[in-house]
């Protein structure tokens, strides 16, 4: 099946800093989503982005489908951005089921 | 904004007991998923429904787990008997096709 690798596994930054999270995947995809898992465990949708670039406030994401990677950018980080960020993909051969990476744990210190 | 509902939010049980989790998807979403997330890992699919039919249950431990979506709306996931290794977060998601939307999850602790 499709493999998803996220990097870095852990990232510690000061408030106000910018960050880039990376997701590599091993096969062509129909679906790619970025999630933020809050301290209570809920997965919050950030982006549905199988290709192209999207922006939502301080967050933006780019997926280069031909090179099989996606990037999540967080600008001017706030302490509330802390948590685990997951990338999840559904391969073209898949039946609309998401395969998750291991996540990037982001800690924003005041 | 419509959300996926799950209950209970937390469940503590003893091994060998039966437990059940409930999920109500966003209205109109034909596809429903149950995922399990072990601490420190990403969620993994247990079962996928399209309306009331199971599309994929290849990762569901069928000797102890069962799932149903009788009327193609809400769904129940059951574990009987529970084992220590079942301690995890159980997440339900629904989709109209494309984006999947997740509920708040049920955190299970088996003692």
């Amino acid at each position: 099946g499709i493999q998803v690798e996220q990097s870095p596994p852990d990232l510690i930054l000061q408030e106000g800093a910018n960050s880039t999270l990376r997701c590599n995947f091993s096969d062509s995809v129909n679906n790619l989503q970025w999630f933020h898992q809050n301290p209570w465990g809920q997965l919050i949708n950030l982006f549905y982005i199988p290709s192209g670039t999207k922006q939502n406030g301080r967050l933006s994401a780019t997926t280069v489908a031909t090179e099989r990677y996606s990037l999540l950018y967080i600008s001017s980080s706030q302490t509330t951005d802390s948590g685990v960020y997951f990338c999840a993909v559904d391969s073209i051969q898949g039946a609309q089921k998401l395969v998750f990476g291991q996540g990037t744990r982001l800690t924003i210190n005041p | 904004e419509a959300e996926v509902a799950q209950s209970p939010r937390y469940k503590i049980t003893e091994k060998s007991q039966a437990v059940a989790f409930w999920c109500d998807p966003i209205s109109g979403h034909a596809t429903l998923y149950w995922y399990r997330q072990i601490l420190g890992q990403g969620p993994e699919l247990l079962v996928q429904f399209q309306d009331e039919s199971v599309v994929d249950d290849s990762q569901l431990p069928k000797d102890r787990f069962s799932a149903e979506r009788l009327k193609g709306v809400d769904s129940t996931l059951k574990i009987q008997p529970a084992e220590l290794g079942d301690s995890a977060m159980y997440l339900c998601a629904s989709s109209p096709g494309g984006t999947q939307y997740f509920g708040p999850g049920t955190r299970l602790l088996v003692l």
Side-chain angles (χ1 to χ4, degrees), chain A residues 58-93:
Chain A
R58 297 181 296 104
L59 275 61
S60 64
T62 294
T63 298
V64 183
T66 54
E67 298 187 21
R68 299 182 182 171
Y69 73 89
S70 183
L71 301 174
L72 177 69
Y73 306 97
I74 305 173
S75 64
S76 304
S77 299
Q78 301 174 358
T79 55
T80 52
D81 294 330
S82 295
V84 182
Y85 289 80
F86 286 102
C87 167
V89 303
D90 170 28
S91 72
I92 286 179
Q93 288 75 30

PDB file of all heavy atoms in Angstrom, chain A residues 58-93:
ATOM      1  N   ARG A  58      -3.042  32.352   8.344  1.00  0.00           N
ATOM      2  CA  ARG A  58      -1.596  32.181   8.503  1.00  0.00           C
ATOM      3  C   ARG A  58      -1.086  30.852   7.976  1.00  0.00           C
ATOM      4  O   ARG A  58       0.110  30.589   7.984  1.00  0.00           O
ATOM      5  CB  ARG A  58      -1.235  32.294   9.994  1.00  0.00           C
ATOM      6  CG  ARG A  58      -1.530  33.651  10.622  1.00  0.00           C
ATOM      7  CD  ARG A  58      -1.111  33.690  12.093  1.00  0.00           C
ATOM      8  NE  ARG A  58      -1.900  32.750  12.892  1.00  0.00           N
ATOM      9  CZ  ARG A  58      -1.461  31.590  13.334  1.00  0.00           C
ATOM     10  NH1 ARG A  58      -0.217  31.193  13.073  1.00  0.00           N
ATOM     11  NH2 ARG A  58      -2.241  30.818  14.076  1.00  0.00           N
ATOM     12  N   LEU A  59      -1.997  30.002   7.563  1.00  0.00           N
ATOM     13  CA  LEU A  59      -1.621  28.686   7.061  1.00  0.00           C
ATOM     14  C   LEU A  59      -1.748  28.632   5.549  1.00  0.00           C
ATOM     15  O   LEU A  59      -2.670  29.221   4.978  1.00  0.00           O
ATOM     16  CB  LEU A  59      -2.521  27.605   7.665  1.00  0.00           C
ATOM     17  CG  LEU A  59      -2.148  27.019   9.034  1.00  0.00           C
ATOM     18  CD1 LEU A  59      -2.140  28.071  10.118  1.00  0.00           C
ATOM     19  CD2 LEU A  59      -3.082  25.888   9.388  1.00  0.00           C
ATOM     20  N   SER A  60      -0.813  27.929   4.948  1.00  0.00           N
ATOM     21  CA  SER A  60      -0.923  27.640   3.521  1.00  0.00           C
ATOM     22  C   SER A  60      -0.346  26.257   3.264  1.00  0.00           C
ATOM     23  O   SER A  60       0.409  25.727   4.087  1.00  0.00           O
ATOM     24  CB  SER A  60      -0.219  28.696   2.673  1.00  0.00           C
ATOM     25  OG  SER A  60       1.175  28.689   2.930  1.00  0.00           O
ATOM     26  N   ALA A  61      -0.747  25.674   2.143  1.00  0.00           N
ATOM     27  CA  ALA A  61      -0.270  24.349   1.788  1.00  0.00           C
ATOM     28  C   ALA A  61      -0.052  24.268   0.298  1.00  0.00           C
ATOM     29  O   ALA A  61      -0.773  24.908  -0.484  1.00  0.00           O
ATOM     30  CB  ALA A  61      -1.266  23.280   2.240  1.00  0.00           C
ATOM     31  N   THR A  62       0.942  23.483  -0.069  1.00  0.00           N
ATOM     32  CA  THR A  62       1.246  23.243  -1.477  1.00  0.00           C
ATOM     33  C   THR A  62       1.466  21.759  -1.671  1.00  0.00           C
ATOM     34  O   THR A  62       2.216  21.144  -0.906  1.00  0.00           O
ATOM     35  CB  THR A  62       2.516  24.001  -1.905  1.00  0.00           C
ATOM     36  OG1 THR A  62       2.265  25.405  -1.834  1.00  0.00           O
ATOM     37  CG2 THR A  62       2.919  23.634  -3.326  1.00  0.00           C
ATOM     38  N   THR A  63       0.834  21.191  -2.677  1.00  0.00           N
ATOM     39  CA  THR A  63       1.073  19.799  -3.046  1.00  0.00           C
ATOM     40  C   THR A  63       1.596  19.753  -4.473  1.00  0.00           C
ATOM     41  O   THR A  63       0.963  20.304  -5.386  1.00  0.00           O
ATOM     42  CB  THR A  63      -0.207  18.956  -2.940  1.00  0.00           C
ATOM     43  OG1 THR A  63      -0.648  18.950  -1.585  1.00  0.00           O
ATOM     44  CG2 THR A  63       0.051  17.517  -3.391  1.00  0.00           C
ATOM     45  N   VAL A  64       2.761  19.117  -4.633  1.00  0.00           N
ATOM     46  CA  VAL A  64       3.332  18.897  -5.964  1.00  0.00           C
ATOM     47  C   VAL A  64       3.122  17.417  -6.268  1.00  0.00           C
ATOM     48  O   VAL A  64       3.927  16.560  -5.887  1.00  0.00           O
ATOM     49  CB  VAL A  64       4.818  19.281  -6.004  1.00  0.00           C
ATOM     50  CG1 VAL A  64       5.364  19.111  -7.417  1.00  0.00           C
ATOM     51  CG2 VAL A  64       5.009  20.721  -5.523  1.00  0.00           C
ATOM     52  N   ALA A  65       2.002  17.126  -6.918  1.00  0.00           N
ATOM     53  CA  ALA A  65       1.593  15.735  -7.103  1.00  0.00           C
ATOM     54  C   ALA A  65       2.598  14.947  -7.940  1.00  0.00           C
ATOM     55  O   ALA A  65       2.837  13.766  -7.673  1.00  0.00           O
ATOM     56  CB  ALA A  65       0.214  15.695  -7.743  1.00  0.00           C
ATOM     57  N   THR A  66       3.184  15.601  -8.939  1.00  0.00           N
ATOM     58  CA  THR A  66       4.121  14.896  -9.827  1.00  0.00           C
ATOM     59  C   THR A  66       5.374  14.467  -9.077  1.00  0.00           C
ATOM     60  O   THR A  66       6.029  13.498  -9.466  1.00  0.00           O
ATOM     61  CB  THR A  66       4.507  15.774 -11.017  1.00  0.00           C
ATOM     62  OG1 THR A  66       4.995  17.029 -10.518  1.00  0.00           O
ATOM     63  CG2 THR A  66       3.306  16.013 -11.924  1.00  0.00           C
ATOM     64  N   GLU A  67       5.735  15.188  -8.013  1.00  0.00           N
ATOM     65  CA  GLU A  67       6.917  14.843  -7.234  1.00  0.00           C
ATOM     66  C   GLU A  67       6.556  14.186  -5.907  1.00  0.00           C
ATOM     67  O   GLU A  67       7.427  13.905  -5.092  1.00  0.00           O
ATOM     68  CB  GLU A  67       7.787  16.083  -7.030  1.00  0.00           C
ATOM     69  CG  GLU A  67       8.301  16.651  -8.352  1.00  0.00           C
ATOM     70  CD  GLU A  67       9.303  17.788  -8.146  1.00  0.00           C
ATOM     71  OE1 GLU A  67       9.897  17.886  -7.060  1.00  0.00           O
ATOM     72  OE2 GLU A  67       9.457  18.590  -9.091  1.00  0.00           O
ATOM     73  N   ARG A  68       5.275  13.981  -5.680  1.00  0.00           N
ATOM     74  CA  ARG A  68       4.778  13.199  -4.543  1.00  0.00           C
ATOM     75  C   ARG A  68       5.181  13.782  -3.191  1.00  0.00           C
ATOM     76  O   ARG A  68       5.705  13.073  -2.306  1.00  0.00           O
ATOM     77  CB  ARG A  68       5.184  11.732  -4.662  1.00  0.00           C
ATOM     78  CG  ARG A  68       4.608  11.084  -5.925  1.00  0.00           C
ATOM     79  CD  ARG A  68       4.954   9.645  -6.048  1.00  0.00           C
ATOM     80  NE  ARG A  68       4.412   9.082  -7.295  1.00  0.00           N
ATOM     81  CZ  ARG A  68       4.696   7.879  -7.747  1.00  0.00           C
ATOM     82  NH1 ARG A  68       5.520   7.085  -7.076  1.00  0.00           N
ATOM     83  NH2 ARG A  68       4.158   7.440  -8.875  1.00  0.00           N
ATOM     84  N   TYR A  69       4.922  15.074  -3.025  1.00  0.00           N
ATOM     85  CA  TYR A  69       5.114  15.661  -1.716  1.00  0.00           C
ATOM     86  C   TYR A  69       4.153  16.828  -1.517  1.00  0.00           C
ATOM     87  O   TYR A  69       3.623  17.393  -2.483  1.00  0.00           O
ATOM     88  CB  TYR A  69       6.565  16.117  -1.480  1.00  0.00           C
ATOM     89  CG  TYR A  69       6.978  17.352  -2.222  1.00  0.00           C
ATOM     90  CD1 TYR A  69       6.795  18.627  -1.679  1.00  0.00           C
ATOM     91  CD2 TYR A  69       7.587  17.257  -3.477  1.00  0.00           C
ATOM     92  CE1 TYR A  69       7.191  19.756  -2.359  1.00  0.00           C
ATOM     93  CE2 TYR A  69       7.997  18.392  -4.166  1.00  0.00           C
ATOM     94  CZ  TYR A  69       7.786  19.636  -3.610  1.00  0.00           C
ATOM     95  OH  TYR A  69       8.180  20.754  -4.289  1.00  0.00           O
ATOM     96  N   SER A  70       3.946  17.148  -0.235  1.00  0.00           N
ATOM     97  CA  SER A  70       3.124  18.284   0.134  1.00  0.00           C
ATOM     98  C   SER A  70       3.812  19.009   1.288  1.00  0.00           C
ATOM     99  O   SER A  70       4.497  18.379   2.106  1.00  0.00           O
ATOM    100  CB  SER A  70       1.732  17.832   0.564  1.00  0.00           C
ATOM    101  OG  SER A  70       0.902  18.945   0.862  1.00  0.00           O
ATOM    102  N   LEU A  71       3.630  20.324   1.327  1.00  0.00           N
ATOM    103  CA  LEU A  71       4.208  21.163   2.363  1.00  0.00           C
ATOM    104  C   LEU A  71       3.112  21.960   3.045  1.00  0.00           C
ATOM    105  O   LEU A  71       2.209  22.485   2.380  1.00  0.00           O
ATOM    106  CB  LEU A  71       5.246  22.124   1.764  1.00  0.00           C
ATOM    107  CG  LEU A  71       6.428  21.494   1.026  1.00  0.00           C
ATOM    108  CD1 LEU A  71       7.275  22.578   0.362  1.00  0.00           C
ATOM    109  CD2 LEU A  71       7.282  20.676   1.975  1.00  0.00           C
ATOM    110  N   LEU A  72       3.208  22.052   4.358  1.00  0.00           N
ATOM    111  CA  LEU A  72       2.305  22.896   5.138  1.00  0.00           C
ATOM    112  C   LEU A  72       3.143  24.006   5.764  1.00  0.00           C
ATOM    113  O   LEU A  72       4.137  23.726   6.440  1.00  0.00           O
ATOM    114  CB  LEU A  72       1.606  22.085   6.232  1.00  0.00           C
ATOM    115  CG  LEU A  72       0.690  22.873   7.172  1.00  0.00           C
ATOM    116  CD1 LEU A  72      -0.549  23.363   6.412  1.00  0.00           C
ATOM    117  CD2 LEU A  72       0.264  22.011   8.356  1.00  0.00           C
ATOM    118  N   TYR A  73       2.750  25.247   5.493  1.00  0.00           N
ATOM    119  CA  TYR A  73       3.450  26.412   6.034  1.00  0.00           C
ATOM    120  C   TYR A  73       2.608  27.066   7.116  1.00  0.00           C
ATOM    121  O   TYR A  73       1.412  27.279   6.931  1.00  0.00           O
ATOM    122  CB  TYR A  73       3.699  27.455   4.933  1.00  0.00           C
ATOM    123  CG  TYR A  73       4.412  26.971   3.709  1.00  0.00           C
ATOM    124  CD1 TYR A  73       3.709  26.595   2.579  1.00  0.00           C
ATOM    125  CD2 TYR A  73       5.802  26.918   3.657  1.00  0.00           C
ATOM    126  CE1 TYR A  73       4.358  26.166   1.430  1.00  0.00           C
ATOM    127  CE2 TYR A  73       6.460  26.488   2.512  1.00  0.00           C
ATOM    128  CZ  TYR A  73       5.730  26.120   1.404  1.00  0.00           C
ATOM    129  OH  TYR A  73       6.381  25.691   0.271  1.00  0.00           O
ATOM    130  N   ILE A  74       3.260  27.369   8.225  1.00  0.00           N
ATOM    131  CA  ILE A  74       2.605  28.122   9.290  1.00  0.00           C
ATOM    132  C   ILE A  74       3.430  29.375   9.532  1.00  0.00           C
ATOM    133  O   ILE A  74       4.631  29.292   9.845  1.00  0.00           O
ATOM    134  CB  ILE A  74       2.504  27.307  10.596  1.00  0.00           C
ATOM    135  CG1 ILE A  74       1.806  25.963  10.340  1.00  0.00           C
ATOM    136  CG2 ILE A  74       1.756  28.101  11.666  1.00  0.00           C
ATOM    137  CD1 ILE A  74       1.807  25.036  11.543  1.00  0.00           C
ATOM    138  N   SER A  75       2.817  30.519   9.367  1.00  0.00           N
ATOM    139  CA  SER A  75       3.543  31.774   9.570  1.00  0.00           C
ATOM    140  C   SER A  75       3.126  32.409  10.893  1.00  0.00           C
ATOM    141  O   SER A  75       2.020  32.178  11.393  1.00  0.00           O
ATOM    142  CB  SER A  75       3.278  32.746   8.416  1.00  0.00           C
ATOM    143  OG  SER A  75       1.916  33.106   8.387  1.00  0.00           O
ATOM    144  N   SER A  76       4.034  33.180  11.447  1.00  0.00           N
ATOM    145  CA  SER A  76       3.781  33.913  12.702  1.00  0.00           C
ATOM    146  C   SER A  76       3.109  33.010  13.737  1.00  0.00           C
ATOM    147  O   SER A  76       2.009  33.293  14.225  1.00  0.00           O
ATOM    148  CB  SER A  76       2.900  35.141  12.418  1.00  0.00           C
ATOM    149  OG  SER A  76       3.491  35.971  11.444  1.00  0.00           O
ATOM    150  N   SER A  77       3.789  31.922  14.083  1.00  0.00           N
ATOM    151  CA  SER A  77       3.215  30.891  14.957  1.00  0.00           C
ATOM    152  C   SER A  77       2.697  31.457  16.271  1.00  0.00           C
ATOM    153  O   SER A  77       3.285  32.387  16.842  1.00  0.00           O
ATOM    154  CB  SER A  77       4.268  29.822  15.256  1.00  0.00           C
ATOM    155  OG  SER A  77       4.698  29.189  14.085  1.00  0.00           O
ATOM    156  N   GLN A  78       1.606  30.865  16.744  1.00  0.00           N
ATOM    157  CA  GLN A  78       1.028  31.209  18.034  1.00  0.00           C
ATOM    158  C   GLN A  78       1.017  29.948  18.904  1.00  0.00           C
ATOM    159  O   GLN A  78       1.036  28.831  18.383  1.00  0.00           O
ATOM    160  CB  GLN A  78      -0.392  31.751  17.851  1.00  0.00           C
ATOM    161  CG  GLN A  78      -0.454  32.986  16.958  1.00  0.00           C
ATOM    162  CD  GLN A  78      -1.867  33.435  16.672  1.00  0.00           C
ATOM    163  OE1 GLN A  78      -2.837  32.819  17.094  1.00  0.00           O
ATOM    164  NE2 GLN A  78      -1.989  34.543  15.945  1.00  0.00           N
ATOM    165  N   THR A  79       0.925  30.134  20.212  1.00  0.00           N
ATOM    166  CA  THR A  79       0.954  28.974  21.112  1.00  0.00           C
ATOM    167  C   THR A  79      -0.206  28.020  20.821  1.00  0.00           C
ATOM    168  O   THR A  79      -0.080  26.813  21.011  1.00  0.00           O
ATOM    169  CB  THR A  79       0.912  29.409  22.580  1.00  0.00           C
ATOM    170  OG1 THR A  79      -0.228  30.236  22.792  1.00  0.00           O
ATOM    171  CG2 THR A  79       2.174  30.189  22.956  1.00  0.00           C
ATOM    172  N   THR A  80      -1.301  28.573  20.328  1.00  0.00           N
ATOM    173  CA  THR A  80      -2.465  27.733  20.001  1.00  0.00           C
ATOM    174  C   THR A  80      -2.229  26.864  18.768  1.00  0.00           C
ATOM    175  O   THR A  80      -3.030  25.973  18.480  1.00  0.00           O
ATOM    176  CB  THR A  80      -3.704  28.597  19.769  1.00  0.00           C
ATOM    177  OG1 THR A  80      -3.380  29.612  18.807  1.00  0.00           O
ATOM    178  CG2 THR A  80      -4.173  29.234  21.061  1.00  0.00           C
ATOM    179  N   ASP A  81      -1.135  27.100  18.044  1.00  0.00           N
ATOM    180  CA  ASP A  81      -0.789  26.238  16.908  1.00  0.00           C
ATOM    181  C   ASP A  81      -0.148  24.931  17.370  1.00  0.00           C
ATOM    182  O   ASP A  81       0.035  24.011  16.566  1.00  0.00           O
ATOM    183  CB  ASP A  81       0.179  26.952  15.961  1.00  0.00           C
ATOM    184  CG  ASP A  81      -0.436  28.159  15.274  1.00  0.00           C
ATOM    185  OD1 ASP A  81      -1.663  28.157  15.048  1.00  0.00           O
ATOM    186  OD2 ASP A  81       0.319  29.106  14.977  1.00  0.00           O
ATOM    187  N   SER A  82       0.204  24.848  18.629  1.00  0.00           N
ATOM    188  CA  SER A  82       0.837  23.625  19.145  1.00  0.00           C
ATOM    189  C   SER A  82      -0.090  22.424  18.962  1.00  0.00           C
ATOM    190  O   SER A  82      -1.325  22.552  18.996  1.00  0.00           O
ATOM    191  CB  SER A  82       1.177  23.782  20.623  1.00  0.00           C
ATOM    192  OG  SER A  82       2.147  24.791  20.809  1.00  0.00           O
ATOM    193  N   GLY A  83       0.524  21.268  18.785  1.00  0.00           N
ATOM    194  CA  GLY A  83      -0.252  20.043  18.590  1.00  0.00           C
ATOM    195  C   GLY A  83       0.438  19.162  17.572  1.00  0.00           C
ATOM    196  O   GLY A  83       1.579  19.399  17.189  1.00  0.00           O
ATOM    197  N   VAL A  84      -0.278  18.162  17.132  1.00  0.00           N
ATOM    198  CA  VAL A  84       0.270  17.242  16.140  1.00  0.00           C
ATOM    199  C   VAL A  84      -0.413  17.496  14.803  1.00  0.00           C
ATOM    200  O   VAL A  84      -1.640  17.587  14.725  1.00  0.00           O
ATOM    201  CB  VAL A  84       0.076  15.777  16.555  1.00  0.00           C
ATOM    202  CG1 VAL A  84       0.710  14.846  15.524  1.00  0.00           C
ATOM    203  CG2 VAL A  84       0.675  15.525  17.937  1.00  0.00           C
ATOM    204  N   TYR A  85       0.405  17.608  13.762  1.00  0.00           N
ATOM    205  CA  TYR A  85      -0.095  17.834  12.417  1.00  0.00           C
ATOM    206  C   TYR A  85       0.062  16.544  11.615  1.00  0.00           C
ATOM    207  O   TYR A  85       1.150  15.971  11.544  1.00  0.00           O
ATOM    208  CB  TYR A  85       0.668  18.976  11.747  1.00  0.00           C
ATOM    209  CG  TYR A  85       0.307  20.310  12.352  1.00  0.00           C
ATOM    210  CD1 TYR A  85       0.877  20.720  13.557  1.00  0.00           C
ATOM    211  CD2 TYR A  85      -0.625  21.139  11.751  1.00  0.00           C
ATOM    212  CE1 TYR A  85       0.524  21.922  14.138  1.00  0.00           C
ATOM    213  CE2 TYR A  85      -0.983  22.357  12.318  1.00  0.00           C
ATOM    214  CZ  TYR A  85      -0.409  22.729  13.511  1.00  0.00           C
ATOM    215  OH  TYR A  85      -0.767  23.929  14.086  1.00  0.00           O
ATOM    216  N   PHE A  86      -1.041  16.113  11.031  1.00  0.00           N
ATOM    217  CA  PHE A  86      -1.036  14.884  10.231  1.00  0.00           C
ATOM    218  C   PHE A  86      -1.321  15.196   8.773  1.00  0.00           C
ATOM    219  O   PHE A  86      -2.175  16.027   8.440  1.00  0.00           O
ATOM    220  CB  PHE A  86      -2.101  13.906  10.719  1.00  0.00           C
ATOM    221  CG  PHE A  86      -1.777  13.216  12.011  1.00  0.00           C
ATOM    222  CD1 PHE A  86      -2.356  13.634  13.202  1.00  0.00           C
ATOM    223  CD2 PHE A  86      -0.887  12.153  12.038  1.00  0.00           C
ATOM    224  CE1 PHE A  86      -2.061  12.999  14.392  1.00  0.00           C
ATOM    225  CE2 PHE A  86      -0.586  11.510  13.226  1.00  0.00           C
ATOM    226  CZ  PHE A  86      -1.174  11.937  14.405  1.00  0.00           C
ATOM    227  N   CYS A  87      -0.601  14.474   7.928  1.00  0.00           N
ATOM    228  CA  CYS A  87      -0.895  14.413   6.513  1.00  0.00           C
ATOM    229  C   CYS A  87      -1.537  13.050   6.258  1.00  0.00           C
ATOM    230  O   CYS A  87      -1.093  12.040   6.835  1.00  0.00           O
ATOM    231  CB  CYS A  87       0.413  14.559   5.738  1.00  0.00           C
ATOM    232  SG  CYS A  87       0.345  14.144   3.989  1.00  0.00           S
ATOM    233  N   ALA A  88      -2.563  13.009   5.422  1.00  0.00           N
ATOM    234  CA  ALA A  88      -3.227  11.741   5.108  1.00  0.00           C
ATOM    235  C   ALA A  88      -3.553  11.720   3.628  1.00  0.00           C
ATOM    236  O   ALA A  88      -3.980  12.739   3.070  1.00  0.00           O
ATOM    237  CB  ALA A  88      -4.490  11.565   5.941  1.00  0.00           C
ATOM    238  N   VAL A  89      -3.375  10.565   3.002  1.00  0.00           N
ATOM    239  CA  VAL A  89      -3.587  10.456   1.561  1.00  0.00           C
ATOM    240  C   VAL A  89      -4.446   9.254   1.228  1.00  0.00           C
ATOM    241  O   VAL A  89      -4.525   8.286   1.979  1.00  0.00           O
ATOM    242  CB  VAL A  89      -2.243  10.342   0.799  1.00  0.00           C
ATOM    243  CG1 VAL A  89      -1.337  11.522   1.106  1.00  0.00           C
ATOM    244  CG2 VAL A  89      -1.552   9.020   1.101  1.00  0.00           C
ATOM    245  N   ASP A  90      -5.083   9.359   0.078  1.00  0.00           N
ATOM    246  CA  ASP A  90      -5.835   8.251  -0.494  1.00  0.00           C
ATOM    247  C   ASP A  90      -5.256   8.008  -1.878  1.00  0.00           C
ATOM    248  O   ASP A  90      -5.311   8.896  -2.731  1.00  0.00           O
ATOM    249  CB  ASP A  90      -7.316   8.615  -0.570  1.00  0.00           C
ATOM    250  CG  ASP A  90      -8.127   7.614  -1.386  1.00  0.00           C
ATOM    251  OD1 ASP A  90      -7.723   6.437  -1.450  1.00  0.00           O
ATOM    252  OD2 ASP A  90      -9.148   8.024  -1.956  1.00  0.00           O
ATOM    253  N   SER A  91      -4.680   6.835  -2.084  1.00  0.00           N
ATOM    254  CA  SER A  91      -4.061   6.561  -3.377  1.00  0.00           C
ATOM    255  C   SER A  91      -5.122   6.401  -4.461  1.00  0.00           C
ATOM    256  O   SER A  91      -6.293   6.137  -4.165  1.00  0.00           O
ATOM    257  CB  SER A  91      -3.198   5.303  -3.306  1.00  0.00           C
ATOM    258  OG  SER A  91      -4.022   4.153  -3.208  1.00  0.00           O
ATOM    259  N   ILE A  92      -4.697   6.568  -5.707  1.00  0.00           N
ATOM    260  CA  ILE A  92      -5.617   6.418  -6.834  1.00  0.00           C
ATOM    261  C   ILE A  92      -6.216   5.019  -6.853  1.00  0.00           C
ATOM    262  O   ILE A  92      -7.357   4.821  -7.228  1.00  0.00           O
ATOM    263  CB  ILE A  92      -4.893   6.759  -8.148  1.00  0.00           C
ATOM    264  CG1 ILE A  92      -4.709   8.268  -8.253  1.00  0.00           C
ATOM    265  CG2 ILE A  92      -5.639   6.210  -9.347  1.00  0.00           C
ATOM    266  CD1 ILE A  92      -3.982   8.739  -9.486  1.00  0.00           C
ATOM    267  N   GLN A  93      -5.409   4.024  -6.403  1.00  0.00           N
ATOM    268  CA  GLN A  93      -5.922   2.662  -6.347  1.00  0.00           C
ATOM    269  C   GLN A  93      -6.776   2.411  -5.112  1.00  0.00           C
ATOM    270  O   GLN A  93      -7.402   1.376  -4.991  1.00  0.00           O
ATOM    271  CB  GLN A  93      -4.754   1.649  -6.354  1.00  0.00           C
ATOM    272  CG  GLN A  93      -4.043   1.517  -7.695  1.00  0.00           C
ATOM    273  CD  GLN A  93      -3.135   2.685  -7.990  1.00  0.00           C
ATOM    274  OE1 GLN A  93      -2.600   3.296  -7.081  1.00  0.00           O
ATOM    275  NE2 GLN A  93      -2.975   3.014  -9.256  1.00  0.00           N
TER     276      GLN A  93
END
